[in-house]
C-alpha cells in the first residue's frame, strides 16, 4: 500500500532558528494520524509548510506527486485541505456562503446541495444559523463551520490543526466524535492536537513531536499506554 | 440663488455624482480585493472617452497600440517569473492569457472599427478595448509586489498614474474630445429641466450597482471575490487564487470606469490627463465609505458631485479647492469614528 502523504526529512526555519527539524511521517489512505507534543507552534509550522504556506527544506509527496511544484491552491485542487488553528473563516459572510466557497476547488458542483445537507446533518446548529454571518458564531460553532467548510471540498486528506483549542469540554467531545465519524467517508486525517488523550483515542497512528523533532511514533493504542507519555502528556485517569 | 437654480444645480450635481459613484465603487472593489488604491482608475475612464471619440471619427484609437504594448510587457513579466520558479511548462497558458487574448481583442476591435455604424456598437468596442488595460498593469506592476504594504502599493499606484498620463499624451495627443450626446431626450420635473444625458448617467449608475450586488450575492465567482477581500489566507485554503480574484476585480472595475468615461464624454471635454481629477473626486467619495462600503462610497460620491455643482455656481475657480478641502473634516470624522469602534472591541 502506497502512502497518501509522505513527509521526508522536512525542516522549517524562522530566520536562523529551526522550528521543525528533520521530521518524517506518513499517512496511509483512510488512516487517522495524530501528531501530539507540548509545543503547538512547532506542529502548526509543520502543517502550514505541508500546505505550502511556509517554505521548507525536504520533500513532501501527496499520492506520489512532489508538492514542491504546487502552490497552496494547487494542493487544495489535488484534495489536500487544511483547517488551520486560526479557522480563517469568512467572518462577514453567511454560514451558507462559507460552505458554498468550501466547494470552490471542486470541478463537480452538481451535488452541492446534497453535500450541504450532509454538513447540516452532521452539524444541525449550522443549519439553524445558515443565514447568520460567520463572525457572529460561538467558538464551537466556528470550529463546526471550519470543519463543514473543509468537508465541502471533498478532500482526500484533511489536516486539522488543534480542532479542540479553546472549546468547552462538551463541544470538544462532539468535535472528536465527528472526526471519528469521518472514517466512513474514507477521508484520511492528519490531526494535530494539544489534547493528546482525545487525539490518540481517535487515531490509528501517533507521532510525538518534541523540540521540533519526532521522538516517538507508533500505533495509537501502544502510545496511549506508554508510561513515559502518560506521565508527560496524558496524565492518569 | 432661487429654487429653480438650486434644482438645476442639484440635477447637475447628482449626474456628476453618479459618474463619480461608478468610479468610487470600482475603486473600493479593487482596493478590497487587491489592497491597491488604484489611482490610475480615473485615467481608465478618460482613456475610454478618448478611445470612443477616435472610433466615432473613424480613426484608429491609440488604445490599440497601448494594449498591444502592455500585453507584450505582461507576457514577458509572466514568462520571467515562470522561468525563475522553474514552471516553464505553464508558458503556453501564460501566452494565451497575457498575449494572445489581449491581442485578439485589439485585432477584433481594429477590424470592426470601419464597420461600426451604430453608437452602441462603438461604445462596446471602446469598452472591450479598455478592459484589458488594468488587468495587464496589475500583472506587470502589482503582482510582483502583491505582498507589500498598502502604502507601498499606493506609492506605486501614484507613479503608475503619472506613467499612464505620459503614455496617454503619446497615444492620444494633446487635443481634448467631446463625444456626441447619447440621447437628445429631455424632460422636466416641477419646472426644473432634466437632460436625458443626466437621466442616463443616473440610470447607468443604479444599474451597475445593482448588477455588482447581484454578482456578489448570487454567483460563486462573486462570493470568491468577497472571500478574497474578507480573508486572503482563508480564500487560498479554499483554492481561491487571490491573483485571479484581482484580475476579475480589475476587469469589473474597468467596465465601471469605462462606462463612466462614456457617460462623461458628452458632458465635459476630456483630455489625456482629465482622468486624475475624476479619479481623485471618486476617491474622496470612496473615503466617505471608508474604502470598504459600497453604499457609503456611492453616497459619498453623490455628495462630492452635489458639492462640486453648488461650489462651481458660487465660485467656479474654487470648486476643486472646496471639494478637496472637505476631505479634511471627513478624514477627521472617520478617524474619530473608527477609534470608537476600536474602544468597543477592547471592552
Amino acid at each position: 500500500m502506497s502512502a497518501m502523504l509522505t513527509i521526508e526529512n522536512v525542516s522549517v526555519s524562522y530566520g536562523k532558528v529551526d522550528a521543525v527539524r528533520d521530521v518524517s511521517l506518513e499517512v496511509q489512505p483512510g488512516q487517522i494520524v495524530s501528531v501530539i507534543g507540548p509545543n503547538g507552534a512547532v506542529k502548526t509550522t509543520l502543517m502550514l509548510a505541508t500546505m505550502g504556506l511556509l517554505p521548507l527544506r525536504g520533500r513532501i509527496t501527496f499520492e506520489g506527486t512532489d508538492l514542491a511544484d504546487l502552490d497552496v491552491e494547487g494542493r487544495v485542487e489535488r484534495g489536500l485541505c487544511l483547517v488551520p488553528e486560526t479557522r480563517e473563516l469568512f467572518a462577514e459572510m453567511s454560514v451558507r456562503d462559507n460552505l458554498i466557497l468550501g466547494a470552490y476547488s471542486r470541478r463537480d458542483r452538481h451535488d452541492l446541495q446534497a453535500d450541504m445537507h450532509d454538513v447540516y446533518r452532521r452539524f444541525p446548529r449550522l443549519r439553524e444559523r445558515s443565514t447568520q454571518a460567520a463572525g457572529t458564531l460561538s467558538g464551537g460553532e466556528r470550529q463546526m463551520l471550519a470543519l463543514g467548510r473543509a468537508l465541502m471540498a471533498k478532500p482526500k486528506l484533511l489536516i486539522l490543526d488543534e480542532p479542540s483549542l479553546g472549546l468547552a469540554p462538551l463541544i470538544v467531545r462532539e468535535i472528536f466524535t465527528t472526526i471519528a465519524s469521518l472514517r466512513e467517508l474514507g477521508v484520511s486525517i492528519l490531526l494535530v492536537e494539544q489534547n493528546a488523550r482525545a487525539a490518540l483515542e481517535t487515531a490509528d497512528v501517533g507521532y510525538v513531536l518534541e523540540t521540533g523533532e519526532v521522538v516517538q511514533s507508533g500505533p495509537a493504542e501502544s502510545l496511549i499506554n506508554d508510561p513515559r507519555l502518560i506521565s508527560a502528556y496524558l496524565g492518569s485517569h | 440663488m432661487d429654487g429653480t437654480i438650486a434644482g438645476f444645480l442639484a440635477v447637475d450635481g447628482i449626474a456628476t455624482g453618479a459618474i463619480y459613484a461608478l468610479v468610487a465603487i470600482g475603486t473600493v472593489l479593487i482596493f478590497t480585493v487587491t489592497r491597491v488604491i488604484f489611482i490610475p482608475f480615473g485615467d481608465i475612464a478618460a482613456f475610454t472617452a478618448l478611445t470612443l471619440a477616435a472610433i466615432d471619427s473613424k480613426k484608429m484609437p491609440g488604445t490599440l497600440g497601448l494594449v498591444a504594448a502592455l500585453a507584450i510587457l505582461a507576457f514577458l513579466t509572466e514568462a520571467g517569473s515562470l522561468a525563475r520558479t522553474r514552471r516553464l511548462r505553464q508558458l503556453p497558458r501564460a501566452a494565451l492569457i497575457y498575449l494572445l487574448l489581449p491581442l485578439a481583442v485589439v485585432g477584433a476591435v481594429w477590424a470592426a472599427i470601419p464597420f461600426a455604424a451604430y453608437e452602441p456598437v462603438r461604445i462596446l468596442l471602446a469598452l472591450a478595448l479598455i478592459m484589458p488595460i488594468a488587468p495587464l498593469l496589475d500583472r506587470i506592476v502589482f503582482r510582483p509586489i502583491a505582498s507589500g504594504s498598502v502604502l507601498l502599493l499606493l506609492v506605486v499606484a501614484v507613479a503608475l498614474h503619472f506613467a499612464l498620463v505620459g503614455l496617454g499624451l503619446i497615444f492620444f495627443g494633446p487635443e481634448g474630445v467631446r463625444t456626441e450626446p447619447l440621447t437628445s431626450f429631455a424632460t422636466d420635473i416641477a419646472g426644473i429641466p432634466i437632460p436625458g444625458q443626466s437621466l442616463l448617467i443616473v440610470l447607468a449608475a443604479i444599474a451597475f450597482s445593482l448588477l455588482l450586488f447581484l454578482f456578489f450575492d448570487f454567483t460563486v465567482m462573486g462570493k470568491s471575490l468577497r472571500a478574497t477581500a474578507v480573508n486572503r489566507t482563508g480564500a487560498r485554503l479554499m483554492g481561491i487564487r487571490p491573483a485571479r480574484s484581482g484580475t476579475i476585480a480589475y476587469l469589473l472595475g474597468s467596465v465601471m470606469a469605462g462606462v463612466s468615461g462614456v457617460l462623461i464624454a458628452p458632458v465635459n471635454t476630456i483630455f489625456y490627463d482629465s482622468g486624475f481629477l475624476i479619479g481623485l473626486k471618486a476617491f474622496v467619495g470612496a473615503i466617505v465609505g471608508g474604502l470598504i462600503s459600497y453604499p457609503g462610497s456611492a453616497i459619498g460620491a453623490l455628495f462630492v458631485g452635489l458639492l462640486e455643482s453648488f461650489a462651481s455656481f458660487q465660485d467656479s475657480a474654487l470648486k476643486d479647492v472646496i471639494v478637496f478641502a472637505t476631505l479634511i473634516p471627513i478624514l477627521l470624522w472617520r478617524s474619530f469614528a473608527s477609534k470608537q469602534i476600536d474602544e468597543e472591541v477592547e471592552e
Side-chain angles (χ1 to χ4, degrees):
Chain A
M1 192 160 59
S2 68
M4 170 143 266
L5 180 80
T6 315
I7 296 179
E8 282 171 273
N9 310 106
V10 163
S11 302
V12 188
S13 40
Y14 285 113
K16 283 179 182 164
V17 185
D18 276 354
V20 173
R21 277 201 302 265
D22 206 22
V23 167
S24 299
L25 68 82
E26 262 186 18
V27 183
Q28 301 292 339
Q31 235 180 11
I32 300 183
V33 174
S34 279
V35 178
I36 61 170
N39 188 339
V42 168
K43 293 173 288 177
T44 297
T45 301
L46 179 61
M47 295 309 126
L48 292 179
T50 305
M51 207 57 212
L53 286 165
L54 287 174
L56 57 83
R57 279 167 287 130
R59 201 171 119 92
I60 302 183
T61 49
F62 179 66
E63 291 188 312
T65 320
D66 191 334
L67 288 185
D69 297 336
L70 293 171
D71 55 4
V72 179
E73 296 86 347
R75 295 176 201 208
V76 175
E77 281 158 10
R78 289 291 174 104
L80 205 65
C81 190
L82 168 70
V83 179
E85 188 187 339
T86 43
R87 322 296 195 230
E88 305 293 350
L89 295 172
F90 307 120
E92 288 153 43
M93 301 175 75
S94 70
V95 167
R96 191 168 169 276
D97 282 353
N98 270 273
L99 291 177
I100 289 174
L101 286 170
Y104 181 86
S105 62
R106 274 164 52 181
R107 296 229 165 76
D108 57 318
R109 293 195 194 144
H110 57 274
D111 46 359
L112 208 67
Q113 283 303 323
D115 294 328
M116 190 111 76
H117 281 299
D118 183 59
V119 170
Y120 284 152
R121 186 181 56 75
R122 282 175 203 280
F123 307 109
R125 294 270 278 287
L126 294 184
R127 189 198 299 270
E128 289 165 27
R129 308 233 186 281
S130 64
T131 57
Q132 233 171 285
T136 64
L137 300 181
S138 73
E141 289 162 350
R142 280 183 210 197
Q143 184 55 49
M144 290 173 195
L145 179 55
L147 261 174
R149 188 178 66 166
L151 289 177
M152 289 298 288
K154 288 210 169 159
K156 293 174 188 158
L157 175 69
L158 192 56
I159 306 178
L160 305 175
D161 193 358
E162 308 277 8
S164 77
L165 193 77
L167 301 183
L170 212 64
I171 297 170
V172 171
R173 199 178 307 160
E174 197 181 330
I175 294 281
F176 275 105
T177 313
T178 308
I179 294 170
S181 78
L182 295 181
R183 274 179 203 278
E184 73 196 50
L185 298 177
V187 51
S188 312
I189 296 173
L190 182 55
L191 174 65
V192 171
E193 257 296 336
Q194 205 90 296
N195 188 339
R197 177 168 293 282
L200 289 177
E201 278 170 356
T202 317
D204 303 302
V205 178
Y207 288 83
V208 184
L209 224 60
E210 272 174 28
T211 58
E213 285 170 299
V214 176
V215 293
Q216 209 169 347
S217 66
E221 59 263 36
S222 75
L223 290 179
I224 217 165
N225 296 316
D226 186 292
R228 195 189 77 86
L229 288 181
I230 288 174
S231 64
Y233 308 119
L234 299 167
S236 47
H237 273 300
Chain B
M1 188 193 303
D2 62 18
T4 317
I5 294 176
F8 186 78
L9 291 175
V11 169
D12 192 43
I14 289 171
T16 318
I19 285 176
Y20 295 153
L22 278 173
V23 179
I25 288 172
T27 305
V28 173
L29 171 68
I30 291 175
F31 175 69
T32 51
V33 175
T34 66
R35 302 184 309 126
V36 175
I37 300 172
F38 197 60
I39 303 292
F41 207 48
D43 298 321
I44 303 282
F47 286 5
T48 315
L50 292 162
T51 307
L52 181 60
I55 296 178
D56 278 350
S57 53
K58 300 273 178 218
K59 280 190 287 186
M60 287 299 154
T63 335
L64 292 170
L66 180 64
V67 173
L70 289 178
I72 292 166
L73 268 177
F75 172 66
L76 291 177
T77 321
E78 177 73 10
S81 98
L82 287 179
R84 267 197 308 281
T85 52
R86 288 176 291 124
R87 286 182 298 160
L88 278 175
R89 56 199 167 78
Q90 289 176 27
L91 202 61
R93 192 172 163 273
L96 180 71
I97 294 175
Y98 294 108
L99 195 62
L100 297 179
L101 206 59
L103 289 182
V105 172
V106 168
V109 173
W110 177 78
I113 285 175
F115 306 105
Y118 300 103
E119 184 66 7
V121 177
R122 292 199 287 267
I123 291 175
L124 284 181
L125 288 179
L127 285 177
L129 199 50
I130 221 74
M131 274 176 75
I133 294 180
L136 289 173
L137 286 173
D138 170 48
R139 179 61 200 94
I140 300 165
V141 178
F142 291 112
R143 204 77 68 76
I145 51 168
S147 55
S149 68
V150 172
L151 185 62
L152 172 73
L153 296 171
L154 171 64
V155 172
V156 172
V158 172
L160 185 61
H161 155 72
F162 286 112
L164 268 188
V165 170
L167 287 174
L169 182 59
I170 293 172
F171 283 106
F172 297 107
E175 300 86 17
V177 298
R178 189 177 271 229
T179 56
E180 290 298 307
L182 298 172
T183 169
S184 53
F185 172 83
T187 182
D188 59 274
I189 296 173
I192 297 158
I194 299 182
Q197 183 72 22
S198 302
L199 221 53
L200 204 62
I201 289 170
V202 173
L203 283 180
I206 294 172
F208 275 91
S209 312
L210 201 67
L211 280 178
L212 198 66
F213 172 76
L214 293 176
F215 171 73
F216 277 146
D217 258 35
F218 293 101
T219 66
V220 172
M221 195 190 261
K223 286 179 207 292
S224 74
L225 244 64
R226 276 173 67 200
T228 313
V230 172
N231 185 337
R232 288 176 94 75
T233 309
R236 296 195 70 191
L237 288 174
M238 296 299 109
I240 302 168
R241 290 189 162 80
R244 184 166 177 270
S245 298
T247 302
I248 297 167
Y250 278 112
L251 281 175
L252 284 175
S254 298
V255 175
M256 305 195 87
V259 168
S260 65
V262 168
L263 291 170
I264 203 172
V267 185
N268 289 344
T269 306
I270 300 291
F271 296 87
Y272 68 97
D273 62 350
S274 299
F276 188 53
L277 275 185
I278 303 173
L280 215 53
K281 283 173 185 161
F283 180 65
V284 175
I287 290 283
V288 174
L291 276 179
I292 299 175
S293 159
Y294 293 100
S297 307
I299 290 166
L302 279 178
F303 168 72
V304 171
L306 284 169
L307 191 70
E308 185 183 280
S309 170
F310 282 93
S312 59
F313 177 74
Q314 294 297 340
D315 190 340
S316 68
L318 282 179
K319 72 167 188 179
D320 290 341
V321 175
I322 294 172
V323 168
F324 291 119
T326 53
L327 191 57
I328 296 166
I330 290 170
L331 285 174
L332 281 174
W333 162 67
R334 282 227 61 100
S335 69
F336 286 128
S338 59
K339 202 178 216 169
Q340 275 160 2
I341 294 167
D342 287 346
E343 280 162 4
E344 276 164 28
V345 171
E346 277 164 31
E347 285 164 17

